[in-house]
Amino acid sequence: MAPPLRRLRPPLVLPALMASGLLALGACSPPGDPTPPQPPAVETAAAEAAVAGGGLTLAGTLERQREMNLSFRVGGVMTALSVDAGDPVAAGQVLARIDPSAVNARVTQADAELERARRDLRRDEALFAQGYVSNQRLEDRRSALKAAQAAYDAAAFDGRWSRLVAPAGGVVLERAAQVGEVVQPGQTVVRVADLASPLVLRAGVADRDVSRIAPGQQVTATVDSLPGEVLSGRVVRVGQGADPRTGAVPVEVELPGRPELRSGLTAKVTFPSAATGDGGVRVPAEAILEANGDKAHVFRLKGDRAVRTPVVFLGFDGDDARLRGLAPGDRVITAGGGFISDGERVRVADPRALTGAVK
């Protein structure tokens, strides 16, 4: 007879698997406190010491501050020209003449019209006194006389411009026409420089360098015709607008008058940096949070925190801003500063930018 079947105990595999699964889930479950988010990413740049010397050099042409293009007010055939380039001239000297025939004819015609207007007025005044003409006709005669007088004055004025007279003493720089030519009103005949006016150098400066130049600023200059000599000059004018073709801002520098210096010579001037001696540093312009006059703020990196730092804004220099209130080597936040607050922990996007960070 076969032995009775015994009831086997179920294996413990399933409970063991369930227990191990619960342990595994417990190991993967988050802790009681959520994982803190990463600090916001920023980019930084190091403050650099401002340039403490000159370096901006411009080349230009020497000119007298007062150089005049002389021309006739009326056109005609030029019959005389008594000067040439390099000749000295005196104030009031007659330099050239045009044929006055046409101008004199207009003066004669205007004089005749004026005399007729006077006669007409005298006749009608007598007739008005006898009651033969109206007051309206008399007023018309008076208006006609005024018009005739104005026409005569204009013709006489043009007659005086048949001679070209030097308005000031100086020297002839250029002779632009010849005897026998028909010159037009306003056409340059001679160009004269007033030697009593200062000698200036006119040059164009790029807009990024205009902030380094100011009226009254002292400069040094060299001229090719005076090798080895350094002249002292002064900025007398900085243009308020740029040339629409080149984008350059005109600058005028006054140099001392010397017999060796002539209009048309090439010279070079060197401007000292506007940042010299101001204790400032240069940082990318993007680091400025806001600026009101000379007051501004930047975020300075101190360890791994952003510290809002007040600075003195000295102006822009190209793509950089010049500031006072930072030391060379201080790192400032150039990107991401709009999303952080004072004292907040940050991380630099490029770890290499941390090199040299302020402790």
Side-chain angles (χ1 to χ4, degrees), residues 275-299:
T276 301
D278 62 7
V281 296
R282 297 161 60 103
V283 300
E286 295 82 1
I288 301 293
L289 297 179
E290 70 269 345
N292 183 9
D294 62 349
K295 296 179 175 60
H297 288 83
V298 297
F299 271 129

Side-chain angles (χ1 to χ4, degrees), residues 18 28 53 56 63 69 95 103 113 117-118 133-134 140 143 147 157 160 212 247-248 258 282 314 318 322 332 334 358:
M18 293 177 62
C28 296
L56 177 60
E63 301 176 11
N69 294 323
L95 307 180
V103 176
E113 294 291 340
R118 288 171 178 164
V133 297
S134 65
D140 290 344
S143 297
F157 180 77
R160 291 193 294 271
R212 303 173 62 180
R258 294 179 52 168
R282 297 161 60 103
L314 303 175
R322 293 186 293 106
V332 293
T334 58
V358 178

Side-chain angles (χ1 to χ4, degrees), residues 47 242 268:
K268 295 180 179 179

Side-chain angles (χ1 to χ4, degrees), residues 23 40 63 118 125 145 161 173 181 184 273 308 314-315 336 356:
L23 291 175
E63 301 176 11
R118 288 171 178 164
E125 284 178 337
L145 177 60
W161 277 92
L173 299 177
E181 292 183 7
Q184 303 300 321
S273 171
R308 186 181 176 89
L314 303 175

Side-chain angles (χ1 to χ4, degrees), residues 162-183:
S162 63
R163 302 180 307 160
L164 194 60
V165 178
V171 63
V172 176
L173 299 177
E174 181 185 3
R175 171 176 172 163
Q178 300 296 332
V179 173
E181 292 183 7
V182 177
V183 294

Side-chain angles (χ1 to χ4, degrees), residues 46 301 328-331 351-359:
L301 188 67
D330 283 354
R331 299 202 74 84
R352 291 173 297 177
L354 283 173
T355 305
V358 178
K359 49 290 165 201

Side-chain angles (χ1 to χ4, degrees), residues 12-97:
L12 298 180
V13 176
L14 182 58
L17 290 175
M18 293 177 62
S20 62
L22 291 175
L23 291 175
L25 290 174
C28 296
S29 61
D33 295 331
T35 302
Q38 284 190 327
V42 297
E43 295 180 7
T44 65
E48 299 178 358
V51 178
L56 177 60
T57 300
L58 300 177
T61 303
L62 294 181
E63 301 176 11
R64 289 289 171 180
Q65 195 172 57
R66 190 179 180 207
E67 294 186 359
M68 299 156 283
N69 294 323
L70 303 184
S71 60
F72 292 103
R73 187 177 181 274
V74 294
V77 179
M78 192 163 60
T79 58
L81 181 58
S82 60
V83 294
D84 207 340
D87 292 346
V89 297
Q93 178 181 340
V94 177
L95 307 180
R97 298 176 186 271

